[in-house]
Amino acid sequence: MSKSVKLHVWGDAACFTRPEMKVERVSYDVMTPSAARGVLEAIYWKPQMRWVIERIHLLKPVQFTSVRRNEVGTKASASNAKSAMKKGTGALGLYIEEQRQQRAGTILRDVAYVIEARIEVIDTSEPVEKHYHMFKRRAEKGQCFHRPYLGCREFIADFAWIEGDLPPTELPEPQSNRDLGFVLLDIDYTPAEGKSFDVIEANTGKKLLARPQFFRAELKDGVMEVPPVSAREVVS
Amino acid sequence: MILQKLNDYYERLATDPDHEIAPFGYSVQKMSFCAVVPLQGNSVQFRSLVSVVSNGRAISQTLVVPGQSKPPGVGVNPCFLWDNAAYMLGYRADDPKPERTRQQFEAFRDRHLSLESAIGDPHFSAVCRFLEWWQPEHVAEHPELAEITQSFGCFRIQGEIGYVHQRPAVREWWGQQDSAEDSRRGICLVSGKQRTIARLHSPKIKGVKGAQPAGGAIVSFNLDAFDSYGMQQSFNSPVSEQATFQYATALNLLLSDPSRTVMLGDATTIFWTESPTQAETYFPSIFSGPPLASNEAEDAELKTQLAAFFKRLAQGKQDDLAHSIEDATTPFYVLGLSPNAARVSIRYWLVSTVGQVSEHLTRYVNEVELVNSPDPTPPTVRQLLRETARDTKDIPPVLAGSFMHAILTGGPYPLAFYQAILRRIRAEQLIDKDFRKDWIRGLHRRIAAIKAVLVRNFKKEISVGLDTTRPEPAYHLGRWFALLEKIQRDAQGENLNTTIKDRFFTAASSTPASVFPRLISLSQHHLNSIESKGLRISREKLVQEIASRLQGFPNHMNLEDQGLFHLGYYHQVQDLYTKKSASKSIPSAAESE
């Protein structure tokens, strides 16, 4: 039960942050599958379905640039929020002026990709065509739940539905075949057993364990094939 | 990818017999002395491991020893089978805190005694006997210690070859020691293998300009905003302890090699190739000049080699010495690092090939080439950047990075660089002579920089020397100005203190219409007072030749035209003086500025 879609996304800048360099951010060379999923989910998503990224086409040469940005050094405290909920009063504020961190980022510039993905339905009472056509209508009209972005919220993405041929690639020949090293595939969530958990699912309140999954990415003729989560080359 | 490539570099060095690189769990340290003990451990002799090289410098021996050097701080952390004299012997020259030194020795002794049964090696036991026997008071019997204990020391058994820490039994035991911290296994991001994941990345990265002297880390997570999914510290990005050690060791090794390191602007940049090439050590000298060699003869030889290398580059020859043909596809990596407090951030990262980089450098070398260059090698990037500001510390760091990037990738030069150069030319005509000793070279480099920008950004074809057929009027205005100045010197003497250049150069290069008519009528007076008739006629002819290429004087010249003006001026000056006497050209041309 699946149906493939193709979406052209592009933007002036992008930062698909590598986990090992996510403090002074350094981007991956190519859009990660989880970032691609984020773009698609910004346009259309329902709890009855799931996006599976199949491959990502790289349309422009990889160019980096370096910027310095103001970021914030702390997270809002969950325990403070909890106690404020119980008491009905409390300080929840986070003052960015006090928590400011100036950090460097090595980000991508002038990017364009084609995301190929398919829809898998979880609730089989509805046909996959329903989701496919809803997505298609929304993408053609430029509708989205929130503005899709390329890795970070500040790098907004433009998108266009593709029917038929892919847009022409500007990728130079030597760049289109290479090893990209280990790239984040996605986070695998499993129900937590016992006390320790990593996240709480927002809509159900279930406690989950999160395990990052990586795969050995390779660019072949400008295309990065994304293995399914169960594939052998996926490591977690 | 950066960590992977550094890890690959480590493996490249590990398989190269010419390099000494520490394996995982070991480090390379400088040793200045060695305690030689008999198997009974009841006496000791101290040997110096320092050798004196030809120029009188003392060099401590470097040895691969187990473990890392001490973390900074006040804790007592004895090393294993090596340490400084305070730990090893309880001795410290002019000791301010004898009590602490005693504690250090005791900690060192107790650590080794507690391991004796686990290791079970006769040589290690001999060291233990020695540590039991030795009292810090024995130091008095060994006056030689004062001289040889400036670095670390280690142990050797009398009559044996090799040090105790090199014993197979000791190494085997050391290799089985896991880091005692709460170990967490997982997939390593670098190697893809199931390994023990590092909580903190060590060793620290040293040698990045402006970073903390104790070293920084590329991968570090110190605030909770950086944590994801409840992970703490470096568990946020699973990298095995072995890969951590290997990439950091490789990076430290690159950063400590002056021939691969370029410090420009706020970034420290390193160069390396996937397999050994000469390019990886030659290319950096385009940016910061040749590294300082240890003695003059070596230095001179290096300079000749580099000059030859640049010459071949300038002629556009794929350099046979630097890389053979199959080397041209060897991947070439450039990594720029800049400090941000205790962290080291990636300023830029470039993956290319030796062939491509060589092509781009050739382009650069050709672009900056000019007649009568005062230097044997093309101006380095550092030298050109020096010309963008009055003082070295005023050079904008961003400019350095983007200029370097332009050269390496063959992209356009930053226009801010061009503007800065033109601004300095306008500002510094008189000041220069007093302010800088090397101002002649400085001037030459500015013109070279202008030429490079005109060629690359404005797509001009510019020859290294005078080109009388150029179509642009700005170029001929520059020539004319040079000629007007020369006529003034012809009339009033070569050693004039101030010429028309000092007063009118800036105006002539930006608003020619406002000054040229005045200068030309002034020049008539100069011409009339030239005594030699032949010289006068030849100057007049040249004036006519130049004037015939111009139709009026523009009111205003844009940046591109200003650059051409400077270039025309420079070319004409070089030409005027070269004809008279080739050998005199540089100093006399300089005088005329």
Side-chain angles (χ1 to χ4, degrees):
Chain A
M1 286 298 282
S2 65
K3 188 107 185 173
S4 283
V5 300
K6 287 191 194 112
L7 191 74
H8 183 198
V9 292
W10 68 96
D12 293 336
C15 182
F16 309 108
T17 312
R18 292 170 175 276
E20 71 270 29
M21 288 160 205
K22 70 174 180 179
V23 180
E24 305 282 339
R25 293 172 189 277
V26 178
S27 176
Y28 279 116
D29 292 4
V30 178
M31 182 183 227
T32 59
S34 56
R37 181 173 57 84
V39 169
L40 297 177
E41 286 178 354
I43 299 167
Y44 176 76
W45 180 80
K46 274 182 183 301
Q48 290 80 13
M49 57 156 293
R50 168 167 50 204
W51 282 110
V52 178
I53 308 296
E54 293 179 321
R55 62 192 62 82
I56 294 172
H57 301 252
L58 179 63
L59 299 182
K60 291 208 172 155
V62 176
Q63 292 181 75
F64 284 100
T65 185
S66 164
V67 291
R68 228 163 222 278
R69 299 184 288 172
N70 288 339
E71 299 184 18
V72 175
T74 53
K75 291 192 272 202
S77 158
S79 57
N80 281 359
K82 214 172 188 176
S83 70
M85 267 166 72
K86 278 185 187 151
K87 277 195 274 177
T89 170
L92 294 176
L94 196 156
Y95 297 98
I96 51 165
E97 289 83 3
E98 287 163 22
Q99 309 294 342
R100 183 155 284 165
Q101 291 261 313
Q102 203 170 51
R103 290 191 269 137
T106 304
I107 62 169
L108 294 168
R109 192 157 63 89
D110 194 20
V111 294
Y113 307 96
V114 170
I115 302 168
E116 273 192 67
R118 66 172 192 273
I119 295 165
E120 273 185 13
V121 286
I122 299 168
D123 179 356
T124 45
S125 63
E126 287 170 337
V128 69
E129 281 74 18
K130 168 199 153 170
H131 298 294
Y132 172 81
H133 286 289
M134 278 182 83
F135 176 78
K136 187 183 169 193
R137 274 198 303 276
R138 290 178 66 84
E140 278 172 342
K141 280 196 228 160
Q143 282 179 311
C144 52
F145 300 135
H146 58 87
R147 184 74 194 254
Y149 56 87
L150 301 165
C152 295
R153 287 299 275 267
E154 53 268 50
F155 305 129
I156 51 170
D158 293 315
F159 61 92
W161 170 261
I162 299 178
E163 194 85 63
D165 289 345
L166 299 184
T169 176
E170 291 168 32
L171 199 65
E173 183 62 34
Q175 268 200 29
S176 54
N177 287 296
R178 59 198 179 106
D179 178 22
L180 297 168
F182 285 93
V183 171
L184 180 73
L185 177 64
D186 215 323
I187 308 287
D188 181 29
Y189 297 100
T190 45
E193 291 157 15
K195 280 208 158 180
S196 71
F197 64 94
D198 294 328
V199 279
I200 300 174
E201 201 171 28
N203 53 348
T204 59
K206 266 191 268 174
K207 288 175 178 172
L208 299 175
L209 283 176
R211 274 189 319 163
Q213 293 184 308
F214 298 92
F215 71 108
R216 184 94 196 194
E218 213 177 336
L219 215 53
K220 277 186 189 152
D221 294 326
V223 183
M224 180 175 81
E225 288 288 337
V226 179
V229 174
S230 59
R232 276 180 64 202
E233 58 261 47
V234 174
V235 291
S236 60
Chain B
M1 278 316 260
I2 299 168
L3 301 189
Q4 257 115 324
K5 293 302 169 199
L6 285 167
N7 189 47
D8 292 348
Y9 181 69
Y10 176 91
E11 274 157 16
R12 173 191 140 184
L13 291 184
T15 52
D16 183 349
D18 295 341
H19 271 95
E20 188 169 23
I21 188 162
F24 176 47
Y26 292 77
S27 62
V28 178
Q29 299 288 348
K30 285 191 171 132
M31 295 284 157
S32 70
F33 71 101
C34 163
V36 183
V37 293
L39 271 174
Q40 302 79 24
N42 54 4
S43 69
V44 66
Q45 282 174 309
F46 294 102
R47 296 265 165 77
S48 170
L49 296 180
V50 178
S51 50
V52 177
V53 291
S54 56
N55 60 358
R57 272 196 319 173
I59 291 182
S60 301
Q61 191 174 354
T62 52
L63 286 176
V64 175
V65 291
Q68 303 296 319
S69 55
K70 292 183 207 323
V74 291
V76 175
N77 299 296
C79 296
F80 181 65
L81 283 174
W82 65 279
D83 214 316
N84 57 35
Y87 277 92
M88 250 175 87
L89 306 168
Y91 165 75
R92 200 168 153 193
D94 308 321
D95 199 347
K97 287 186 201 157
E99 194 48 44
R100 179 176 157 80
T101 310
R102 183 149 202 119
Q103 278 171 13
Q104 288 173 332
F105 170 68
E106 279 162 10
F108 184 81
R109 182 185 64 196
D110 295 346
R111 179 179 184 193
H112 287 78
L113 292 181
S114 70
L115 297 174
E116 190 186 349
S117 59
I119 292 171
D121 181 69
H123 288 192
F124 185 78
S125 299
V127 171
C128 292
R129 297 292 81 71
F130 162 74
L131 289 171
E132 280 171 345
W133 167 77
W134 174 266
Q135 296 297 318
E137 289 74 37
H138 292 344
V139 167
E141 297 158 29
H142 297 277
E144 73 273 20
L145 278 177
E147 202 168 301
I148 61 175
T149 52
Q150 67 273 49
S151 290
F152 295 117
C154 55
F155 291 103
R156 194 152 70 82
I157 301 300
Q158 212 165 44
E160 298 283 336
I161 301 164
Y163 300 97
V164 178
H165 64 257
Q166 294 168 333
R167 294 277 295 174
V170 172
R171 290 184 73 114
E172 194 188 334
W173 177 83
W174 183 255
Q176 288 161 357
Q177 300 309 299
D178 251 344
S179 59
E181 294 180 61
D182 56 322
S183 65
R184 181 163 173 163
R185 287 177 75 79
I187 291 294
C188 169
L189 264 185
V190 175
S191 65
K193 292 183 183 127
Q194 187 84 21
R195 287 279 183 283
T196 305
I197 301 301
R199 187 178 68 84
L200 292 173
H201 284 206
S202 67
K204 297 265 187 221
I205 311 300
K206 287 177 190 173
V208 177
K209 184 181 148 201
Q212 290 181 355
I218 291 183
V219 181
S220 80
F221 304 82
N222 56 340
L223 296 172
D224 63 0
F226 312 143
D227 295 342
S228 300
Y229 300 108
M231 314 268 200
Q232 302 256 304
Q233 294 188 315
S234 297
F235 294 136
N236 274 292
S237 63
V239 179
S240 69
E241 290 192 331
Q242 182 168 4
T244 303
F245 171 82
Q246 294 192 352
Y247 90 76
T249 306
L251 186 54
N252 276 332
L253 208 70
L254 286 167
L255 283 166
S256 65
D257 183 349
S259 66
R260 292 157 184 280
T261 316
V262 172
M263 290 186 189
L264 270 183
D266 62 344
T268 302
T269 308
I270 43 173
F271 298 70
W272 78 97
T273 49
E274 197 153 286
S275 52
T277 52
Q278 268 191 300
E280 60 184 342
T281 48
Y282 272 14
F283 285 179
S285 60
I286 292 232
F287 297 92
S288 61
L292 287 175
S294 50
N295 60 56
E296 268 177 39
E298 221 176 282
D299 202 37
E301 197 201 352
L302 198 69
K303 276 190 180 142
T304 350
Q305 272 178 17
L306 279 175
F309 170 72
F310 289 129
K311 203 172 163 194
R312 285 195 303 274
L313 265 187
Q315 287 161 354
K317 283 183 192 156
Q318 283 297 311
D319 192 75
D320 298 336
L321 270 182
H323 56 87
S324 56
I325 293 144
E326 68 266 23
D327 265 347
T329 55
T330 306
F332 190 91
Y333 305 108
V334 180
L335 175 64
L337 299 169
S338 68
N340 193 358
R343 205 171 290 114
V344 174
S345 73
I346 310 290
R347 187 77 175 67
Y348 38 79
W349 166 240
L350 184 85
V351 182
S352 191
T353 62
V354 170
Q356 257 177 3
V357 173
S358 155
E359 215 169 275
H360 292 144
L361 292 185
T362 309
R363 245 182 98 188
Y364 166 77
V365 168
N366 283 323
E367 281 167 358
V368 294
E369 196 185 3
L370 274 179
V371 280
N372 295 337
S373 161
D375 297 301
T377 52
T380 62
V381 175
R382 183 194 296 278
Q383 287 164 345
L384 292 189
L385 285 168
R386 171 72 190 81
E387 300 308 325
T388 60
R390 184 163 191 260
D391 217 335
T392 331
K393 64 176 195 297
D394 301 332
I395 302 169
V398 187
L399 208 57
S402 51
F403 188 52
M404 188 156 168
H405 196 258
I407 293 173
L408 283 169
T409 57
Y413 294 119
L415 274 184
F417 166 74
Y418 182 62
Q419 285 159 351
I421 294 269
L422 288 180
R423 202 162 50 235
R424 289 324 298 163
I425 294 187
R426 282 201 294 274
E428 267 186 16
Q429 287 162 59
L430 283 171
I431 315 157
D432 266 7
K433 292 182 199 174
D434 307 322
F435 187 65
R436 287 174 57 190
K437 276 188 203 141
D438 63 336
W439 67 275
I440 299 172
R441 286 201 159 82
L443 177 98
H444 173 86
R445 286 167 195 160
R446 285 174 191 166
I447 303 292
I450 287 174
K451 177 175 173 248
V453 177
L454 287 173
V455 171
R456 187 173 293 192
N457 293 32
F458 297 104
K459 306 272 180 290
K460 303 274 177 201
E461 274 182 33
I462 293 172
S463 57
V464 292
L466 187 66
D467 178 5
T468 54
T469 59
R470 284 206 75 81
E472 299 91 352
Y475 182 81
H476 297 287
L477 281 170
R479 290 179 58 203
W480 198 343
F481 192 86
L483 189 60
L484 292 174
E485 187 194 15
K486 184 74 178 89
I487 290 169
Q488 186 184 21
R489 285 187 189 279
D490 289 338
Q492 301 175 339
E494 275 297 333
N495 297 324
L496 275 182
N497 276 332
T498 48
T499 66
I500 55 168
K501 184 180 183 233
D502 300 310
R503 286 188 59 196
F504 298 107
F505 190 76
T506 307
S509 66
S510 51
T511 53
S514 69
V515 287
F516 260 91
R518 198 145 46 108
L519 290 176
I520 290 163
S521 61
L522 180 70
S523 184
Q524 278 307 317
H525 301 295
H526 292 148
L527 269 175
N528 290 339
S529 57
I530 292 177
E531 282 165 17
S532 149
K533 196 180 172 195
L535 183 62
R536 194 164 69 220
I537 289 170
S538 80
R539 294 289 184 239
E540 276 173 342
K541 268 191 181 161
L542 193 53
V543 170
Q544 279 162 12
E545 187 264 317
I546 294 171
S548 69
R549 298 189 172 275
L550 294 166
Q551 278 126 16
F553 300 106
N555 283 321
H556 176 76
M557 297 226 279
N558 60 21
L559 285 178
E560 181 185 337
D561 286 339
Q562 286 181 30
L564 282 164
F565 181 93
H566 294 310
L567 201 71
Y569 174 81
Y570 180 86
H571 278 168
Q572 188 65 53
V573 167
Q574 297 301 327
D575 188 64
L576 283 168
Y577 284 91
T578 310
K579 273 183 188 158
K580 219 163 59 180
S581 151
S583 63
K584 211 185 149 202
S585 62
I586 287 309
S588 58
E591 273 166 28
S592 74
E593 299 299 314

